[in-house]
Amino acid sequence: MSKTKKIWIGAVFVLVLMGIFSMTVFSPSIIRRVPFLAPEASHQTWEEILSHPQPITVRTYSTGVNQTTRAGIMNLEHEKAQNIAYEVIDIPVNVFLVQHQDFGASLIDAGLDQSYVHSPHGTMKGLMVQSYLAKGSQEPNTHIAAILEQEQVQLQGVWLTHLHMDHTAGIVDLPKDIPYVAGKGERYVNFKFFMQSEHLAGIEKLYEINFDAGIDLAPLGMGVDLYGDGSLWAISSSGHSAGHVIFLVNGIDEQVLVTGDACNDAYQFDMGIGPGTYSSDLEAAQEVLEQIIEFKELYPGVKLVFGHDLETR
């Protein structure tokens, strides 16, 4: 066999090995994604939506605490952040229990599962977990499944602001035969040996909201009327993550904008500084925060609840 042929065979062998290694290690777990078939929008403007509240409520619960850095959730490179210290902070990991008179109970985000009582990273495993992920902690019986049991709730579905681990971990303890819905294009990071969770294991399919079929709900993004009665709206808010979603709960007793990590806490809202290093697009994330601030100025009666704060605005 000629030397040139041996080199070619060797090169092909190396490429095959690299391909196999890439597929088994670097390729994230794949879950089948299907379109969420939203009904036709009942209203076309914020004025119409907010003047027609519906029989729906939302309550906030903390499923534990994450220990992270201020820079992780707030962009300390922003010009307004010159006097804000880089520090370690504890933030609650919130979920939101939505109850509709006709459509039953659903969750916005899943929070933390019960494994965080004993492990700071829950079910997360891999070489990058210790150095990259925030540490979680939890009091017994405060995980999402315990909350649902205490409230005697039969869950009908889960709406996800995004697929970061502190918003998906609780799925481990939730039923798998209900719809799970996220924004189109939202990435699920689950790399073998490096950062592996399997939070979505057992779910047959993930429904995706296509906001191209929605309506323009300025100053926020494109919106979709999830139930078709104006009670619960998903609004595109790409920035913190590629397919991030915020939700408007249009209740009779109160009207609530659930910001997820588009605005982590009240301090961030007050300062006007967008999300930090955990975000995929800092510029877009800043724009979304500014849109939320403008929305609150236009509609002060709508309460803001945040992904990582029990204080509201």
Side-chain angles (χ1 to χ4, degrees):
M1 184 182 297
S2 69
K3 184 177 181 179
T4 302
K5 190 172 183 179
K6 289 181 179 179
I7 292 173
W8 274 106
I9 292 174
V12 170
F13 181 71
V14 170
L15 288 172
V16 170
L17 286 179
M18 289 177 63
I20 294 172
F21 182 76
S22 176
M23 290 177 65
T24 57
V25 175
F26 291 103
S27 296
S29 298
I30 296 174
I31 182 170
R32 185 162 68 95
R33 301 190 180 219
V34 298
F36 174 77
L37 301 178
E40 184 177 349
S42 57
H43 306 292
Q44 299 295 315
T45 68
W46 282 121
E47 286 73 18
E48 292 178 359
I49 294 168
L50 297 176
S51 63
H52 293 84
Q54 299 297 316
I56 189 171
T57 62
V58 60
R59 293 182 64 184
T60 304
Y61 298 83
S62 172
T63 59
V65 173
N66 265 359
Q67 185 180 81
T68 186
T69 64
R70 175 60 65 183
I73 66 169
M74 179 182 283
N75 181 13
L76 297 189
E77 299 300 317
H78 193 281
E79 60 182 8
K80 295 181 180 179
Q82 295 178 6
N83 296 320
I84 300 176
Y86 181 99
E87 60 182 343
V88 175
I89 58 174
D90 291 335
I91 56 175
V93 180
N94 293 340
V95 298
F96 309 92
L97 178 59
V98 177
Q99 301 215 51
H100 190 288
Q101 179 174 287
D102 299 321
F103 297 103
S106 61
L107 285 175
I108 297 176
D109 286 338
L112 302 180
D113 66 282
Q114 62 184 321
S115 65
Y116 283 85
V117 170
H118 307 291
S119 170
H121 298 296
T123 60
M124 297 291 297
K125 299 177 181 179
L127 299 176
M128 296 175 63
V129 169
Q130 291 287 339
S131 59
Y132 183 76
L133 291 183
K135 293 182 179 180
S137 62
Q138 186 182 76
E139 294 295 323
N141 297 317
T142 59
H143 59 284
I144 184 55
I147 291 170
L148 296 179
E149 183 177 357
Q150 291 162 12
E151 297 294 337
Q152 299 182 327
V153 165
Q154 184 173 355
L155 199 61
Q156 302 299 315
V158 178
W159 315 99
L160 294 156
T161 60
H162 59 305
L163 298 179
H164 287 179
M165 50 75 54
D166 52 330
H167 297 258
T168 61
I171 295 173
V172 171
D173 290 340
L174 295 180
K176 305 301 184 290
D177 58 348
I178 58 175
Y180 289 82
V181 186
K184 185 176 181 180
E186 177 63 13
R187 301 185 186 98
Y188 173 46
V189 176
N190 193 35
F191 296 102
K192 294 180 180 178
F193 306 121
F194 285 86
M195 191 178 296
Q196 187 173 3
S197 70
E198 300 298 346
H199 289 167
L200 304 188
I203 297 175
E204 180 183 350
K205 55 193 172 185
L206 180 69
Y207 291 91
E208 289 189 315
I209 303 170
N210 181 3
F211 288 98
D212 291 341
I215 62 172
D216 186 2
L217 289 176
L220 301 179
M222 298 295 289
V224 170
D225 188 352
L226 295 173
Y227 290 136
D229 65 349
S231 64
L232 183 61
W233 293 79
I235 304 150
S236 178
S237 53
S238 176
H240 174 67
S241 65
H244 193 280
V245 181
I246 58 180
F247 294 89
L248 187 283
V249 182
N250 189 30
I252 295 171
D253 294 332
E254 61 178 358
Q255 295 164 309
V256 178
L257 188 70
V258 179
T259 69
D261 286 8
C263 186
N264 290 279
D265 59 19
Y267 180 60
Q268 185 170 39
F269 175 81
D270 294 342
M271 295 298 295
I273 300 173
T277 56
Y278 291 147
S279 299
S280 59
D281 187 331
L282 293 180
E283 184 176 344
Q286 178 66 39
E287 291 177 0
V288 171
L289 175 63
E290 291 172 1
Q291 291 167 356
I292 292 172
I293 292 170
E294 183 180 354
F295 175 84
K296 180 64 174 177
E297 291 173 349
L298 291 171
Y299 307 104
V302 177
K303 183 168 77 172
L304 303 185
V305 297
F306 309 106
H308 296 287
D309 198 346
L310 295 176
E311 189 175 343
T312 63
R313 286 291 180 266

